[in-house]
Amino acid sequence: MVDFSLGFPAGFLWGAATAAHQVEGNNTNNNWHAWEEAGRVFRQQRSGLACDWWGGRYVEDFDRAAALGHNAHRFSIEWSRIEPERARFDGAAMDHYVRMVAALRERGMEPLITLHHFSNPLWIENDGGWTNPETIRRFERFVRTVVEELAPGVRLWCTINEPMIYATQGYLFGHFPPGRRSLRETFTVAENLLRAHARAYNAIKEIDPAAQVGLAKHQISLKPGFPALVNRRARRIVWDFFNAAFVDALQTGTLALPRRTVEVPEAAGTFDWIGLNYYYRFLIRFHLLYPQRLFLHQSRPRDGIQGPESVGEIWPEGLFEHIKWLGDRTGKPIYITESGLPDPDDAIRPLFLVRALRSVWQAINFNYPVKGYFFWTLVDNFEWSEGYDPRFRFGLFGCDPETQARTRRPSADLYGEICAANALTADMVRRYVPDHAGELFPGVDVLPEVTLPPRA
Ligand code: GAL
């Protein structure tokens, strides 16, 4: 029988992504802990034990990932553990991360290490955080310390996660610590993150010239609302500010922000690859009453999938749009450093995975150099301001932070089959998303009989 399979290139990296504060537990010396203590998270929740990775449960979770055929994993280093006080470095904390890298290697998994994923040590935060230019040099020192230790086992480094999300959520919308609402500070933070990235890039390359260094850039899809004329302009402004400015600065050394251009020549060319974090599509509707929302609105899905109220529409095909844009703009290899959705019942995750990976495959077939895909995330974890809000469960596995019990979702199996086969096949589509097979891949539903996957 003739059947199809969407094959991925040899050596393609398949894995999941996590971040220290979201999974480690007992992180009590950073800005997020203070934010939790101040009651700023959903229902005044605290991250608590999270997934207890600091207590060693990363071992069992890495086992789960390896058993499912993942050949890579992205995780982050918690700065406040490595340098709990200014210039005091904690060797035992470092050893923990050395063991994590070794644990991945033992399982045949490639580590991708993030050096800054939203959390700052308290001493940094209390000294002005990323508005203070001193933080740039301090970050570089932290990066050098970590890379000196971990370089033997690590090839892929991600300096900073989502600089524009960090800058806007913390300093414009006030949803993340330090909860500021200032455009001026938002710009300062973006600039300092860019300078810090450039320094970190050079430091890593100095220590290990073979290292491959990039950063994870969050991109959003934007659909202009009615009237199109006005909203196309608004879309352009948001796209340039949120999606383009930082990426262009990595190319050119010029950070072009709305009505403010900053020259950061040392940033030009400081990336070997670019990471794409992609989640949502928003409707752009210019409205004088809501300037603080940057014209962003929840868009009603037509070809997308409805997500929780507070987020945008889930439109997996946006991956193609962003891979194309990043590829054309930078010419660099691309890793999908995050892609996923909040879906506690796993009702739409299998469909999401099929659509997302069909989109990535399509981009690869247009010769865009996509090198790997990291699903967000391996196990349900502490979702920043949403805390443990039951609607915001992103994991291939569920995780109860009270009991630490893991529950395997059907998506874990689907994704595992894809990783193991290095392909998405018609047979998987038929078994995991039978109701959508014909619409996604015309003709597939009339091929062999549908058998549902066993429920975990
Ligand atoms: C990203 C962030 C992750 C995770 C994810 C899901 O912006 O990097 O840490 O929270 O969103 O919302």
Side-chain angles (χ1 to χ4, degrees):
M1 184 197 67
V2 177
D3 216 346
F4 79 84
S5 126
L6 311 187
F8 285 75
F12 195 79
L13 293 186
W14 292 104
T18 53
H21 189 74
Q22 296 181 272
V23 292
E24 287 183 350
N26 284 328
N27 261 317
T28 55
N29 190 23
N30 67 20
N31 56 336
W32 269 92
H33 179 72
W35 193 245
E36 294 160 26
E37 290 293 301
R40 302 297 297 268
V41 168
F42 173 75
R43 295 198 180 145
Q44 286 79 49
Q45 289 173 344
R46 288 163 170 76
S47 51
L49 210 51
C51 308
D52 194 25
W53 277 23
W54 199 255
R57 281 184 212 265
Y58 70 88
V59 176
E60 53 169 282
D61 287 332
F62 286 179
D63 279 341
R64 290 187 174 92
L68 287 167
H70 297 202
N71 62 9
H73 183 76
R74 172 178 175 228
F75 72 93
S76 82
I77 310 286
E78 175 60 35
W79 185 358
S80 66
R81 291 205 190 261
I82 298 292
E83 193 179 0
E85 291 164 33
R86 185 174 166 180
R88 183 170 74 74
F89 293 90
D90 184 333
M94 186 59 103
D95 290 345
H96 176 93
Y97 293 114
V98 171
R99 286 195 295 275
M100 284 181 81
V101 168
L104 288 176
R105 289 281 177 213
E106 280 157 21
R107 289 163 180 76
M109 293 162 75
E110 178 86 32
L112 192 165
I113 309 274
T114 309
L115 293 156
H116 186 271
H117 196 128
F118 295 167
S119 50
N120 300 319
L122 268 182
W123 64 270
I124 284 282
E125 193 77 353
N126 294 339
D127 197 17
W130 285 93
T131 55
N132 181 355
E134 269 297 292
T135 300
I136 301 167
R137 203 182 43 78
R138 292 167 174 169
F139 180 65
E140 184 194 345
R141 190 176 51 187
F142 154 72
V143 167
R144 283 185 184 274
T145 310
V146 171
V147 175
E148 294 278 1
E149 291 292 327
L150 298 187
V154 179
R155 185 174 62 91
L156 292 169
W157 297 96
C158 168
T159 56
I160 292 168
N161 183 66
E162 303 183 346
M164 295 307 284
I165 286 280
Y166 179 83
T168 52
Q169 291 287 29
Y171 294 85
L172 187 63
F173 302 125
H175 297 152
F176 283 11
R180 307 275 306 154
R181 286 166 185 263
S182 150
L183 198 57
R184 194 178 49 81
E185 287 182 348
T186 305
F187 290 174
T188 304
V189 167
E191 177 187 335
N192 287 342
L193 288 170
L194 179 64
R195 292 189 191 279
H197 160 80
R199 286 235 193 182
Y201 177 88
N202 290 322
I204 300 169
K205 299 295 268 195
E206 203 181 294
I207 297 167
D208 179 7
Q212 294 296 296
V213 187
L215 61 73
K217 183 67 187 63
H218 185 117
Q219 302 295 77
I220 50 180
S221 288
L222 302 165
K223 192 157 74 168
F226 181 80
L229 205 63
V230 180
N231 288 307
R232 270 203 219 109
R233 247 193 93 69
R235 178 187 187 276
R236 185 61 200 259
I237 295 169
V238 178
W239 184 284
D240 286 351
F241 171 59
F242 196 84
N243 286 348
F246 212 90
V247 176
D248 287 347
L250 292 175
Q251 287 275 107
T252 62
T254 301
L255 180 63
L257 300 166
R259 284 190 277 149
R260 177 168 152 188
T261 299
V262 196
E263 296 303 332
V264 187
E266 69 272 25
T270 55
F271 64 128
D272 304 318
W273 54 269
I274 187 84
L276 167 61
N277 289 8
Y278 170 65
Y279 290 90
Y280 305 118
R281 173 163 71 175
F282 296 91
L283 191 64
I284 289 286
R285 226 185 292 123
F286 179 72
H287 201 306
L288 282 174
L289 286 181
Y290 306 109
Q292 77 278 20
R293 287 168 66 169
L294 273 183
F295 322 126
L296 299 182
H297 296 263
Q298 162 101 33
S299 102
R300 265 184 309 279
R302 281 226 180 109
D303 47 351
I305 306 170
Q306 180 73 52
E309 276 295 299
S310 57
V311 299
E313 165 200 357
I314 295 158
W315 180 54
E317 285 72 16
L319 279 164
F320 182 85
E321 168 187 38
H322 295 295
I323 292 168
K324 180 174 173 357
W325 188 85
L326 287 170
D328 291 344
R329 204 76 160 191
T330 71
K332 298 279 169 126
I334 297 167
Y335 288 92
I336 312 302
T337 32
E338 285 180 32
S339 160
L341 76 168
D343 182 19
D345 306 321
D346 215 44
I348 45 182
R349 198 174 280 104
L351 175 62
F352 171 89
L353 271 167
V354 169
R355 286 176 54 173
L357 291 171
R358 185 182 62 164
S359 191
V360 173
W361 177 85
Q362 189 192 355
I364 292 172
N365 281 275
F366 275 69
N367 294 315
Y368 288 105
V370 186
K371 304 295 181 192
Y373 180 87
F374 293 84
F375 188 76
W376 186 271
T377 181
L378 187 56
V379 278
D380 283 351
N381 55 45
F382 179 75
E383 179 50 28
W384 306 115
S385 297
E386 322 294 347
Y388 296 112
D389 181 338
R391 289 169 303 170
F392 286 85
R393 306 230 158 121
F394 282 81
L396 293 170
F397 290 84
C399 171
D400 179 333
E402 299 292 322
T403 64
Q404 288 300 318
R406 270 62 169 163
T407 39
R408 178 176 173 139
R409 300 196 167 114
S411 294
D413 295 311
L414 167 59
Y415 187 55
E417 288 192 35
I418 295 168
C419 299
N422 199 27
L424 170 67
T425 69
D427 172 58
M428 297 172 195
V429 172
R430 254 180 242 114
R431 282 184 292 117
Y432 287 92
V433 288
D435 297 345
H436 299 273
E439 136 214 339
L440 292 174
F441 300 95
V444 167
D445 55 347
V446 295
L447 286 169
E449 265 185 42
V450 170
T451 13
L452 288 170
R455 282 258 161 191

